[in-house]
Amino acid sequence: MSEIPNTAVVVRVGAEALLADVQAGMHTFFVDEPVAVGGLDRGPTPYDMLLSALGACTAITLRLYANQKKWPLEAIEVRLSHARVHRQDCDKCESPGETLEEIRKELRLLGPLTPDQLQRLHIIADKCPVQKALTSGSFRVFTTVVTA
């Protein structure tokens, strides 16, 4: 297992608040939770960031594809939502493993596109690298603890 490279994202949270200070390369921003759950609401939630990554990747993938094809795609809007849904209608729906994480993604593609172009862009939208990573079934996270 290799070490985390110097270009890694670094997240710091202090002793009291839920406010996370994020350093991603040369960019610094906050991620937080709503006041109702103990945060300060000074930034998007972790799930907002997850959806943002997926939405940005989708829009950029569509832009690159349309530019390569020289299609008249004038603007792209991606709306996303996240929910936990029941795996099936059942008596055990409150049991562990009986819910699924679900993301809904809605595309608004502006420009004089043909129906065939719209259909192809719909297919390409599901091929962005972030979506492929999230849905691959082989995504792994390794956690280690280091002392200061």
Side-chain angles (χ1 to χ4, degrees):
M1 188 178 338
S2 64
E3 290 185 22
I4 296 176
N6 289 337
T7 58
V9 171
V10 178
V11 181
R12 292 180 179 87
V13 174
E16 294 182 23
L18 301 178
L19 181 69
D21 182 342
V22 181
Q23 181 75 40
M26 296 175 49
H27 307 283
T28 301
F29 54 93
F30 294 118
V31 175
D32 202 355
E33 292 289 347
V35 173
V37 296
L40 302 172
D41 203 15
R42 291 187 53 202
T45 69
Y47 276 105
D48 291 340
M49 295 302 295
L50 177 67
L51 295 178
S52 297
L54 177 57
C57 183
T58 298
I60 291 167
T61 299
L62 290 170
R63 171 52 57 212
L64 289 169
Y65 188 84
N67 286 356
Q68 178 186 20
K69 295 289 190 179
K70 297 186 180 2
W71 288 354
L73 178 57
E74 296 168 359
I76 303 157
E77 182 178 294
V78 183
R79 291 179 180 257
L80 301 109
S81 63
H82 166 262
R84 287 180 183 89
V85 297
H86 294 302
R87 188 176 300 270
Q88 58 186 337
D89 291 331
C90 64
D91 295 330
K92 300 182 289 183
C93 290
E94 300 304 316
S95 302
E98 293 301 323
T99 59
L100 295 171
E101 302 287 332
E102 181 175 274
I103 294 175
R104 298 242 174 211
K105 185 166 67 168
E106 176 184 283
L107 306 175
R108 185 169 306 220
L109 306 175
L110 304 175
L113 297 160
T114 68
D116 286 343
Q117 289 169 332
L118 287 169
Q119 181 181 11
R120 184 66 186 150
L121 289 169
H122 184 194
I123 293 167
I124 294 301
D126 289 340
K127 296 186 182 298
C128 86
V130 170
Q131 183 165 334
K132 286 169 122 176
L134 289 172
T135 61
S136 70
S138 60
F139 201 86
R140 300 189 310 178
V141 177
F142 295 98
T143 303
T144 56
V145 176
V146 295
T147 56

